[in-house]
Amino acid sequence: MAVDYTVIVLYLAGMLAMGWWGMRRAKSKSEFLVAGRRLGPWMYSGTMAAIVLGGASTIGGVGLGYKYGLSGAWMVFAIGLGLLALSVFFSARIARLKVYTVSEMLDLRYGGRAGVISGVVMWAYTLMLAVTSTIAYATIFDVLFDLPRTLAIVLGGTIVVAYSTLGGMWSITLTDMVQFVVKTIGVLLLLLPIAVVKAGGFAEMKAALPTSYFEPLGIGGETIFTYVLIYTFGMLIGQDIWQRVFTARTDKVARWGGTVAGTYCLAYALAGAVIGTAAKVMYPKLPSADDAFATIVKDELPMGVRGLVLAAALAAVMSTSSGALIACATVANNDIWSRLRGATAKKGEGDAGEHDEVKGNRLFILVMGVAVIGIAIALNDVVQALTVAYNLLVAGLLVPILGGLLWRRGTVQGALAAVGVGGLAVIGLMWTYGILANEPVYYGLLASLAVYVIVSLATRPTDAAVLANWRARLAGQDTPAEPDPTVPAPATA
């Protein structure tokens, strides 16, 4: 294992070195939080693919392939579909807004007052996403170094917190590009063909496994629908994803770079399912499906290659963890703490106050990172925690966000009602049906949609000046457009 250990240690050292290099570039709020909005198509595609394909997509995707066969690709496939939908239909407009958070977009669209409550929901989601990604270090470092769970979480979490705190989005972007290359080589170019060959080829796999393992819908229609509802729509509204959209140099980069990343996710989904299916042939009686990835890597790959593939798994976890961490800290500082203090956002991105804002955001990443490591050590039921976070995100924020982008008649009262009713409904339904049930997110989302439409129609339309400014920002203009004469002006005394 000496060669494998060397590969892993060099990889981890490289992550820290890039964090130090990124610190030299992150001199303003824009540079620190969104890499100066300067990423070109190749770097944007790589970092976007890295953030969405985490430990769940790699280790979990192989586990689903082990359990269900090729249809186990649907979870990661749904993530790819969501990224494609975001890139094709919304990313160009999102990039032109020049904001930092989803809550800022809601305030811009509805005229304020929606930021704090939406920020709290988004913060809870990004926090739990960071926690669950951090917990995954325990599995990987256990395979690598046979470390205790707590020490593994502290080791992996400390490295991510260190490079994220030092250089912000620049460090995360650079490390994500390395992680993207490592994942591509380790999973797609090495593990996939080796696993298929070791299993005897596709003919042997088909002969050894039930027919259901090769049916596209073998995992079940309801499960596929739930994956699409949670992961596809979750990709459309998550702060961790939007913050990457904000890094694009132009709206065209956001659209086409994201489309490339989404297509890559579809290939990655199929690769994970095939690897899991091959593992089922070789190890038909593993105690847990999630053990399939580590088992096939540990037993079937030659030294050096084994270290690279394990580094790929580590890269997958680190990319999601760092992306969720900076998103969590950005929301906590800009959408919650600053608003509660009554601070006003600074105009422009080159003023003298920018450097102090970098210090503030760096401090929040450090504080949130320590909190994430602590919660990860204390938390046992990861699946339930992440399910609660995704349910709140989709049921509470999907309708107000997409409604704001697609429906001019939506109002701030409707948005606030949708967030409140959707969030409370999904919490109450999880209490009734169980946290892991599908019904809470179904009915919570329907309740959010219904109240958004009803309350918006029952309240005064959004101020014409607010909508004019919104349209100007969507179009990438610096000054507001003329008010739309078809939008009624608010009543005056």
Side-chain angles (χ1 to χ4, degrees), residues 69 173 340:
T173 297
L340 293 177

Side-chain angles (χ1 to χ4, degrees), residues 175-265:
T175 54
D176 276 356
M177 285 305 300
V178 175
Q179 290 157 358
F180 171 74
V181 172
V182 170
K183 280 191 289 189
T184 301
I185 296 173
V187 176
L188 296 183
L189 301 184
L190 292 176
L191 183 58
L192 175 61
I194 289 174
V196 172
V197 170
K198 293 282 187 177
F202 285 104
E204 179 61 29
M205 291 163 61
K206 286 185 177 181
L209 296 173
T211 305
S212 61
Y213 266 70
F214 302 92
E215 294 176 354
L217 306 180
I219 198 170
E222 184 178 359
T223 299
I224 294 172
F225 179 77
T226 302
Y227 283 155
V228 171
L229 185 63
I230 293 178
Y231 294 111
T232 300
F233 285 107
M235 289 295 105
L236 299 180
I237 58 177
Q239 169 68 24
D240 52 325
I241 310 302
W242 277 42
Q243 199 156 344
R244 299 310 172 97
V245 176
F246 300 150
T247 65
R249 181 190 302 156
T250 65
D251 54 358
K252 290 183 179 179
V253 168
R255 176 177 292 159
W256 296 112
T259 301
V260 171
T263 305
Y264 177 89
C265 290

